């Protein structure tokens, strides 16, 4: 059974930081890219960040560039999202995902998804 288990969400004040983690299990993820998406109430799910298996390629949605950083530990099948200088508009449920293709902002390319973790940023 494939599982992606997220952790690290919570409540933080504007300007603060959080680090999200997502551990994948149940199959080999060798060669898989990893991504983070988020969904705020009343809005569609949007792409946040993605990283290739080797770590050689990353990209981010414009709104988080310079504030968020994606990384991974292949030995642990874990992807991270370091979030700094958080803003109230970052409040959302954050989802991690895995895809057998190169890095992509398209949700349809990701085959496996986590359950989501809530991030709330207060002003």
């Amino acid at each position: 059974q494939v599982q992606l288990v997220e952790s690290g969400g919570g409540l933080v004040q504007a300007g603060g930081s959080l680090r999200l983690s997502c551990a994948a299990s149940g199959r080999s993820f060798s060669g898989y890219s990893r991504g983070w998406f988020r969904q705020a109430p009343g809005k569609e799910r949007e792409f946040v960040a993605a990283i290739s298996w080797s770590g050689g390629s990353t990209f981010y949605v414009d709104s988080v560039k310079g504030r968020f950083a994606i990384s991974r530990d292949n030995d642990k099948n874990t992807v991270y999202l370091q979030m700094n200088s958080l803003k109230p508009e970052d409040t959302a449920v954050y989802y991690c995902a895995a895809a057998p293709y190169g890095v992509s902002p398209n949700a349809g390319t990701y085959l496996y998804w986590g359950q989501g973790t809530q991030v709330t940023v207060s002003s």
Side-chain angles (χ1 to χ4, degrees):
Q1 180 177 328
V2 172
Q3 285 190 306
L4 275 64
V5 180
E6 297 157 293
S7 61
L11 175 65
V12 65
Q13 293 182 344
S17 299
L18 285 173
R19 189 176 79 154
L20 306 183
S21 300
C22 180
S25 63
R27 64 155 294 151
S28 173
F29 287 90
S30 179
Y32 275 63
S33 62
R34 302 291 293 274
W36 288 94
F37 293 75
R38 66 186 181 187
Q39 187 167 24
K43 297 184 178 180
E44 296 183 352
R45 187 171 300 187
E46 68 169 342
F47 167 79
V48 177
I51 186 169
S52 64
W53 186 246
S54 69
S57 297
T58 62
F59 70 97
Y60 303 86
V61 67
D62 286 345
S63 61
V64 309
K65 288 180 179 177
R67 299 190 298 121
F68 291 10
I70 188 170
S71 60
R72 85 283 178 269
D73 183 337
N74 287 348
D75 289 339
K76 297 180 179 179
N77 285 326
T78 298
V79 64
Y80 306 93
L81 186 68
Q82 179 67 47
M83 304 185 293
N84 300 321
S85 301
L86 282 162
K87 305 174 181 179
E89 48 263 50
D90 294 317
T91 295
V93 176
Y94 283 71
Y95 300 88
C96 72
Y101 313 107
V103 293
S104 172
N106 301 315
T109 67
Y110 293 84
L111 299 184
Y112 304 104
W113 294 81
Q115 78 288 347
T117 186
Q118 178 70 47
V119 171
T120 302
V121 184
S122 62
S123 59

